[in-house]
């Protein structure tokens, strides 16, 4: 996908605002705040990398041009791309709200494939492996390693 430096900067700022909001929510947590803060820290580093990369000169291949071509300084702004971080954040909030209602496994087995398909992952095998891998990883980490019970729901 072609991007512009301006788009990358805007996306980085949006992500950093979402991270700041998520970090503020963790102040209500007790001892379990470390794990979400680590994830938010990783997200902040990735957002910062996107923002910092936007200041580097674009290489012709990244601009969708042949290696020997001179790329334009700036490609046109694509507003639809700016909605991606907000959309993924909304999906994650809906997933978080569904967990207490449906239970961890039901909500995860529905939400993860939807998010993966929206992100462009195609093929049943990758979606299945990533969904089961994520659900299994969280189960092993929280239930088996940390002893935190996962919310039960309709089916599980």
């Amino acid at each position: 996908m072609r991007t512009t430096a301006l788009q990358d900067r805007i996306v980085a700022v949006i992500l950093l605002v979402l991270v700041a909001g998520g970090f503020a929510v963790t102040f209500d947590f007790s001892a379990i705040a470390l794990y979400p803060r680590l994830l938010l820290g990783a997200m902040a580093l990735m957002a910062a990398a996107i923002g910092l990369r936007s200041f580097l000169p674009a290489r012709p291949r990244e601009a969708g041009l042949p290696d020997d071509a001179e790329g334009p300084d700036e490609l046109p702004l694509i507003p639809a791309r700016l909605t991606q971080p907000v959309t993924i954040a909304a999906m994650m909030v809906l997933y978080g709200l569904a967990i207490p209602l449906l239970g961890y496994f039901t909500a995860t087995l529905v939400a993860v494939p939807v998010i993966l398909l929206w992100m462009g992952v195609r093929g049943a095998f990758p979606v299945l492996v990533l969904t089961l891998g994520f659900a299994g990883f969280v189960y092993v980490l929280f239930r088996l390693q940390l002893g935190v019970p996962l919310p039960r729901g309709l089916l599980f």
Side-chain angles (χ1 to χ4, degrees), residues 2-7 62-65 71-78:
R2 292 185 192 187
T3 63
T4 69
L6 177 61
Q7 283 175 316
E62 290 176 359
L65 301 169
D73 287 344
E74 192 71 24
L75 295 171
L77 183 66
I78 304 169

Side-chain angles (χ1 to χ4, degrees), residues 58-149:
R59 292 180 293 203
R61 180 168 289 180
E62 290 176 359
L65 301 169
D67 286 334
D68 57 348
E70 283 288 323
D73 287 344
E74 192 71 24
L75 295 171
L77 183 66
I78 304 169
R81 185 169 181 273
L82 299 177
T83 63
Q84 291 175 347
V86 176
T87 304
I88 197 73
M91 286 185 197
M92 297 309 295
V93 167
L94 289 174
Y95 171 58
L97 294 173
I99 289 174
L101 299 172
L102 302 175
Y104 166 74
F105 286 106
T106 305
T108 299
L109 295 177
V110 171
V112 172
V114 168
I115 292 169
L116 289 172
L117 291 171
W118 180 83
M119 291 174 64
V121 176
R122 297 292 180 246
F125 184 72
V127 171
L128 181 67
V129 168
L130 290 169
T131 301
L132 295 178
F134 177 76
F137 173 77
V138 171
Y139 177 78
V140 168
L141 177 66
F142 284 98
R143 185 69 190 118
L144 300 181
Q145 295 295 318
L146 300 174
V148 176

Side-chain angles (χ1 to χ4, degrees), residues 18-29:
L18 292 173
V19 165
F23 195 82
V25 169
T26 64
F27 290 119
D28 292 337
F29 297 176

Side-chain angles (χ1 to χ4, degrees), residues 7-78:
Q7 283 175 316
D8 286 345
R9 290 176 193 140
I10 292 171
V11 167
V13 168
I14 291 170
L15 288 173
L16 288 172
V17 167
L18 292 173
V19 165
F23 195 82
V25 169
T26 64
F27 290 119
D28 292 337
F29 297 176
S30 57
I32 61 170
L34 178 62
Y35 182 70
R37 286 181 182 167
L38 287 174
L39 290 177
L40 289 165
M43 250 179 89
L45 287 174
M46 288 184 241
I50 291 170
L52 292 174
R53 191 183 88 172
S54 71
F55 289 100
L56 298 175
R59 292 180 293 203
R61 180 168 289 180
E62 290 176 359
L65 301 169
D67 286 334
D68 57 348
E70 283 288 323
D73 287 344
E74 192 71 24
L75 295 171
L77 183 66
I78 304 169

